[in-house]
Every structure is written in structure tokens, then in C-alpha cells.
Amino acid sequence: MIPSYFIAHGAPSLALEQNEYTAFLKQLASELPKPRAIVLFSAHWESREQQISGAESYDTIYDFSGFQKELYEVQYPASGDSAIASEIQDLLRQENIAAGIDTVRGLDHGAWVVLRLLYPAADIPVIALSVNRHLSNAEQYRIGKALSSLREKHILMIGSGGTVHNLRRLEWGGSSRVNDWALQFDSWLEDKLTAWDLEALFQYDRLAPFAREAVPTPEHFIPLLLAMGTGDPNRRASLSHRSYQYGSLSLSCWKFE
């Protein structure tokens, strides 16, 4: 069974950077058997009903502003897989989770920044999925759990977001110092994830130190719970990488087996 992952996508400019995190992601792909397809939950695709991409091919969406012009020239011409999209819809419906198929939306940067670092050839079919910030944390986990059987079919499951992701607290000057509040939140999170403590994780916004600073809005945290849910059969979580940019932006990768 192929592992699933939560992967932080950082700032859009990560796609053009060379640092320890981008090197890690490039190496990670080389260590995995090539998947049949990739199913990716993106923090930058929000909807009130679960959406599944059924597109046969994708445009590249530049859903950001103010970055270097080279970033707006990046293309990630991945293909889709409508059969797997329908299979995902069926799996969700079996658990009474409503889901629709979107045949027109392209790939946002939450998807292509990560995918371009992992698989730059864009030669693996991608099925993108939305996130819904209006669900409970337990419901987020249940969506991931409903799709856990896809891992047995050699499909790579990814949640793309960020554990500490507060744009208002970023220090753009490039300081190497990491803010203590960000470290404390991620440390708490590491303890609960490795212990698979769902009771605590589902209440992270009340129990974790500096949760409000780390997660001012939930859409970037939700993919972590979705990815964790895909690992429910075995319940093994391990931290593969963690580094920081701009004082607090967490670049972390969690593996679920």
C-alpha cells in the first residue's frame, strides 16, 4: 500500500526556489514507486459541497499576485482521469458524503507548486479535490478515511496546505529566526499526530498553544486532517520534513502509512 502525505505548499514562489525543502520534495518522489495517479486536496479550492475534478486536462491557475513574472509563466500540463474521479465520487457516496464532479477547473497553485516539485514531467494523471471549511474536523477526517482504499490501488493521496500559515505574521525580510509561537504549535501537533490522538486533534483550535496565530483560518489546516484520514487503516504518522520561511511559515511533510 502506497503511503499518503500532507505536504505544505508554502508561498507560490516555492515553485522556483532551491532550498532544503524543495530538495527534499524532489528526493521524495524518487524514493516512491511511480503512482498510477495522484489525488490531491488543495487548500486553494474551497466549496461547500465536496468537489472532484473530472477534467481530462488542466489549465494552470495563477491564483496569487505580486510575485516574480517568471512564476506566471510556469505551466503544469497534467492530465486528469475521469474514471478515478467517478470512483472517488462513488466511495464518498457510499459514506453518505455528497460530492460533485467539476470538468472545467484548472490546477491552482496549492496543487501545481507541490506537483511540479515532485513530478516535474507532469506525466501522472491528477485528480484534484476541494476542501470545505464549514465541516467539523471529525468530518474532514471521515472524508479522507472514505478514500483510504485508493492507496491499495497504487494511487498517491496528498493533502496540500500548511500547519502554520498566517500571512499577516510573516517576516518577509528573510530572517532565519523562527518565531517561538510557531514552534510551540507545531511541536504540539507533532505529539498528537504521532500518537494518533484524534480527540485532541479534532479540538486543536481550543487545545493547541497559539492555535489562533498558527491557523487564523482553517482551509490550509484541513488538508492535514484529510490526509490523516487516508491513513486510518494503519494509523501510523511520521514527520518526514519540517523547516520554516519568513519567521513562521511552516514547510512540513507528514507521511501516513
Side-chain angles (χ1 to χ4, degrees):
M1 182 186 296
I2 193 168
S4 54
Y5 290 89
F6 168 78
I7 299 176
H9 59 249
S13 52
L14 189 73
L16 301 179
E17 294 173 4
Q18 295 184 27
N19 54 44
E20 62 175 309
Y21 185 54
T22 59
F24 161 77
L25 290 178
K26 292 173 183 177
Q27 180 65 27
L28 174 64
S30 70
E31 294 172 355
L32 291 171
K34 189 173 181 177
R36 169 185 161 210
I38 300 168
V39 172
L40 184 145
F41 289 93
S42 173
H44 288 277
W45 184 8
E46 292 194 64
S47 63
R48 280 195 172 261
E49 179 185 74
Q50 180 65 58
Q51 293 295 301
I52 307 157
S53 177
E56 291 298 332
S57 61
Y58 294 101
D59 292 330
T60 304
I61 301 174
Y62 307 102
D63 51 334
F64 47 80
S65 61
F67 288 88
Q68 59 267 56
K69 66 180 182 63
E70 291 84 1
L71 203 54
Y72 300 90
E73 299 169 357
V74 172
Q75 296 285 318
Y76 193 79
S79 62
D81 191 309
S82 58
I84 295 177
S86 295
E87 183 178 1
I88 291 170
Q89 186 179 44
D90 289 341
L91 289 170
L92 293 172
R93 286 178 172 174
Q94 288 170 25
E95 297 298 324
N96 296 314
I97 299 168
I101 292 182
D102 183 311
T103 60
V104 298
R105 191 179 192 275
L107 290 178
D108 59 64
H109 82 272
W112 62 257
V113 166
V114 168
L115 294 174
R116 187 170 181 268
L117 291 166
L118 290 171
Y119 300 103
D123 57 351
I124 301 171
V126 175
I127 302 90
L129 283 84
S130 66
V131 302
N132 180 358
R133 70 167 71 197
H134 302 285
L135 300 178
S136 70
N137 293 323
E139 289 172 313
Q140 309 289 1
Y141 183 93
R142 188 168 75 93
I143 291 171
K145 182 179 178 181
L147 303 181
S148 61
S149 63
L150 294 174
R151 294 172 51 207
E152 299 172 1
K153 300 182 178 183
H154 215 62
I155 293 174
L156 177 61
M157 308 283 292
I158 297 174
S160 172
T163 57
V164 181
H165 190 274
N166 189 334
L167 301 184
R168 294 185 177 183
R169 299 293 295 271
L170 297 186
E171 299 172 4
W172 293 101
S175 170
S176 60
R177 181 182 66 88
V178 182
N179 290 311
D180 185 63
W181 60 267
L183 293 170
Q184 287 193 47
F185 178 82
D186 267 345
S187 178
W188 181 93
L189 193 60
E190 181 177 357
D191 288 344
K192 304 310 177 187
L193 284 166
T194 53
W196 213 274
D197 187 346
L198 296 180
E199 183 177 355
L201 286 165
F202 291 166
Q203 302 178 77
Y204 79 88
D205 49 340
R206 292 196 307 106
L207 300 179
F210 302 102
R212 185 172 297 180
E213 289 82 358
V215 189
T217 56
E219 75 287 339
H220 277 74
F221 192 86
I222 289 167
L224 175 65
L225 298 171
L226 293 162
M228 188 183 187
T230 69
D232 185 81
N234 296 323
R235 297 194 167 194
R236 291 196 297 268
S238 57
L239 180 63
S240 298
H241 178 93
R242 184 164 64 215
S243 55
Y244 296 86
Q245 289 184 316
Y246 314 119
S248 63
L249 186 64
S250 179
L251 301 177
S252 58
C253 176
W254 279 91
K255 178 181 180 181
F256 302 104
E257 299 179 272

